[in-house]
Amino acid sequence: MSTLEKIKSLKNTECIVDVLLKEVLANECRTCGKCVFGYEGITQLELILGDITVKKGKSTDLELLRELGEMMAGQSLCEKGEEIAQAVLEAVELYQSDFEDHIGKKGCRAGVCKKFMTYHILAEKCVGCGDCMDACDEDAILGKARFVHVIAQDECTQCGACMDACDEDAVVQAGAVKPRCPRKPVPCKKR
Ligand code: SF4
Ligand code: SF4
């Protein structure tokens, strides 16, 4: 399937920024170097898309992607540069809101970009054992024995260690839709 076909037939479980970045990383312009627009363009695309996937996107990125796409489409010496440029232009046109969600730090709709996933502790499952707290190097978990533990989102680095440590499956990951959880530790209901 061509890059353009992949962009047009994106599944709900796929993230447009992630798919596009993978196509950029697989594009031959990265190693060719015969034309400046292809090589420089693909390098910039890799940096911009990479940043967007890890919550470092900037408000100017969408416009920059459009400019790069138009420049590469018109100036690249071969069809490899033109193909990825058309894919970029198509992607920002078809999935603008997905790009905006990433850039505005609202989230990754498909739940693919790990930096946008948050960790939460479900009150109905937590037994207050403290294993998650012991596993967290960031001291991002609040709680005490027999109290439902709570993750301080500002401190959490999304490492996932608490999820691995919990035998009760009380720690869950969430994308755009977050579970309802207590804001501070409360006595456990589960025994
Ligand atoms: S989330 Fe899991 S590991 Fe942490 S206190 Fe609750 S039951 Fe224990
Ligand atoms: S994901 Fe990592 S940093 Fe965040 S609360 Fe769990 S162990 Fe701590």
Side-chain angles (χ1 to χ4, degrees):
M1 196 188 286
S2 74
T3 300
L4 208 49
E5 284 167 344
K6 282 184 196 170
I7 300 298
K8 285 182 176 172
S9 58
L10 196 78
K11 301 185 188 82
N12 283 339
T13 51
E14 292 177 315
C15 163
I16 184 60
V17 192
D18 174 71
V19 168
L20 197 54
L21 178 58
K22 285 186 179 136
E23 290 299 307
V24 164
L25 293 175
N27 188 278
E28 288 168 29
C29 294
R30 289 180 81 229
T31 49
C32 167
K34 282 189 189 149
C35 73
V36 175
F37 288 100
Y39 185 74
E40 286 298 329
I42 206 87
T43 306
Q44 288 303 314
L45 287 177
E46 182 181 335
L47 289 173
I48 295 167
L49 293 169
D51 275 358
I52 294 176
T53 61
V54 295
K55 266 186 166 175
K56 290 184 179 167
K58 298 179 207 66
S59 57
T60 49
D61 282 350
L62 257 183
E63 200 43 50
L64 212 49
L65 286 172
R66 283 195 191 95
E67 282 173 17
L68 276 168
E70 278 162 16
M71 184 192 78
M72 285 179 78
Q75 313 275 359
S76 299
L77 283 184
C78 84
E79 72 280 2
K80 288 293 165 197
E82 285 165 22
E83 189 190 14
I84 195 71
Q86 290 302 344
V88 168
L89 293 171
E90 193 76 19
V92 296
E93 175 75 27
L94 288 178
Y95 307 102
Q96 182 170 337
S97 63
D98 284 345
F99 280 92
E100 287 170 347
D101 282 352
H102 283 76
I103 292 167
K105 320 275 188 290
K106 283 193 193 145
C108 170
R109 184 182 47 78
V112 170
C113 297
K114 294 281 172 277
K115 276 287 174 188
F116 288 94
M117 299 298 282
T118 48
Y119 287 79
H120 306 266
I121 295 174
L122 301 177
E124 64 273 21
K125 289 193 172 180
C126 178
V127 295
C129 68
D131 288 352
C132 56
M133 219 170 171
D134 293 341
C136 180
D137 288 339
E138 308 298 326
D139 291 334
I141 302 181
L142 313 171
K144 58 184 181 182
R146 306 288 311 135
F147 273 64
V148 172
H149 285 44
V150 174
I151 295 176
Q153 297 300 331
D154 289 349
E155 310 292 330
C156 177
T157 57
Q158 290 96 29
C159 72
C162 52
M163 198 175 200
D164 294 339
C166 180
D167 291 336
E168 306 293 327
D169 292 332
V171 184
V172 294
Q173 261 189 320
V177 181
K178 312 294 183 194
R180 283 173 67 94
C181 297
R183 291 180 176 219
K184 56 184 187 183
V186 293
C188 293
K189 287 192 178 147
K190 187 179 177 193
R191 301 266 158 202

